[in-house]
Amino acid sequence: MKRLMNLTPSKPLSIFLSLLPFVLVFFLYGSLSNARLAENPNDKLLPSFSQIGSAIDRLAFNEDKRTGKYILWADTQASVLRIAVGVSISAALGLTIGLFTGLIPLARANLSPIITIISLIPPMAILPILFISFGLGELAKVMLIIVGTAPVIIRDIQMRVLQLPSEQLIKALTLGASTWLVALRVVLPQILPSLLSSMRFSLGAAWLFLIAAEAIAAQEGLGYRIFLVRRYMSMDVIFPYVIWITTLAFLMDFSLKRLSQVCFPWYHSNENGK
């Protein structure tokens, strides 16, 4: 008799099981919304699907009379640009410093303690400092993402470098390779997949920091819009924005995963559904 842990669903069953929670949430929300609106047609907590659809149409497909912009797309452009710049800079810092500290013991002894301390500082606690230091413009928002994600990526890359078999490095040195050549030809190709994985895992935190920064000081952005309309309890706007942020985060994660699979198939050869 097969144990429960050894039962693997077929492809159709796997798809059905994946979609089932979303369908249940959809029907549960519809039932609760209908019940609340039947009791109070002016209830704003659980708007109907038609109200949510009207809000989406107004924000995404009709120009704002005041700004002349399509609000949803303007907010999306602002937020995606901020998070792309912040995560990209964090990845560059993580790759450079992580490789440097992982490969060179003197650099590791010098920089690892301060990197560890910085990674333990709650980024939200220093948000006021960032706004005071860099102003209320784009730089402070990007810096919050960098401060929140770069130290974690650095430590992850450093750990990956330290996990490389020492025999590889010794052989390269024995054949006359310099430290720079070892880093470039032996270490770098093996840690690039780990860098993409670290970027994927940092996206959730990056979105959190971005939305917090936009809520405090911004003129446009997905987080800014959510906190702007909350005072009116406009759940018909908040729900679509939350779903849209989740969708964008998923697309970014999926894109990085596919990029890693295409560029580094050897890294994923032994993975199953990761």
Side-chain angles (χ1 to χ4, degrees):
M1 183 179 67
K2 283 190 175 182
R3 300 292 190 271
L4 181 62
M5 62 182 291
N6 294 324
L7 295 177
T8 303
S10 62
K11 188 68 173 181
L13 180 58
S14 179
I15 295 174
F16 171 77
L17 292 175
S18 299
L19 294 177
L20 182 59
F22 297 97
V23 174
L24 292 176
V25 170
F26 180 86
F27 281 105
L28 178 62
Y29 178 88
S31 300
L32 293 175
S33 176
N34 290 335
R36 291 185 67 94
L37 292 174
E39 183 177 342
N40 178 15
N42 296 320
D43 182 78
K44 293 184 176 182
L45 182 60
L46 296 177
S48 65
F49 291 120
S50 61
Q51 291 173 323
I52 293 176
S54 298
I56 294 174
D57 180 69
R58 182 178 72 255
L59 295 169
F61 304 109
N62 290 280
E63 288 187 1
D64 181 59
K65 295 180 180 179
R66 184 174 61 86
T67 63
K69 297 180 180 180
Y70 294 91
I71 293 178
L72 177 62
W73 307 121
D75 290 337
T76 300
Q77 181 181 6
S79 293
V80 169
L81 179 61
R82 290 163 184 157
I83 202 166
V85 172
V87 172
S88 297
I89 294 175
S90 292
L93 292 173
L95 178 61
T96 304
I97 301 176
L99 191 155
F100 186 60
T101 56
L103 188 61
I104 302 177
L106 289 175
R108 185 163 60 253
N110 179 250
L111 296 177
S112 285
I114 186 65
I115 293 172
T116 301
I117 294 299
I118 294 175
S119 69
L120 297 176
I121 298 175
M124 298 304 300
I126 63 172
L127 182 56
I129 299 176
L130 295 177
F131 280 135
I132 294 172
S133 302
F134 300 105
L136 300 179
E138 299 300 305
L139 182 57
K141 302 176 186 63
V142 173
M143 284 300 301
L144 179 63
I145 297 174
I146 295 172
V147 170
T149 58
V152 178
I153 297 178
I154 291 172
R155 294 182 68 188
D156 185 59
I157 296 300
Q158 176 182 307
M159 181 186 67
R160 300 293 181 180
V161 174
L162 292 173
Q163 289 176 343
L164 293 177
S166 59
E167 293 83 359
Q168 293 182 359
L169 308 182
I170 294 173
K171 287 180 180 179
L173 293 173
T174 302
L175 292 172
S178 64
T179 301
W180 167 254
L181 194 59
V182 170
L184 190 63
R185 299 294 296 274
V186 179
V187 178
L188 182 61
Q190 297 188 72
I191 63 172
L192 284 177
S194 299
L195 176 64
L196 293 177
S197 296
S198 296
M199 292 174 65
R200 288 178 59 195
F201 293 133
S202 68
L203 282 175
W207 275 106
L208 172 64
F209 302 142
L210 173 66
I211 291 172
E214 289 181 340
I216 296 175
Q219 295 301 317
E220 60 183 0
L222 298 171
Y224 161 77
R225 194 68 53 188
I226 289 175
F227 280 84
L228 178 67
V229 302
R230 85 188 192 284
R231 67 189 66 176
Y232 309 112
M233 291 189 63
S234 299
M235 302 300 288
D236 57 335
V237 175
I238 294 175
F239 282 153
Y241 264 66
V242 172
I243 294 172
W244 181 234
I245 291 172
T246 305
T247 303
L248 290 173
F250 171 79
L251 291 175
M252 289 180 178
D253 178 80
F254 180 78
S255 299
L256 289 172
K257 178 181 178 180
R258 288 297 300 159
L259 178 62
S260 181
Q261 290 173 337
V262 170
C263 295
F264 311 105
W266 52 268
Y267 181 77
H268 300 272
S269 58
N270 295 323
E271 296 181 355
N272 293 314
K274 183 177 179 178

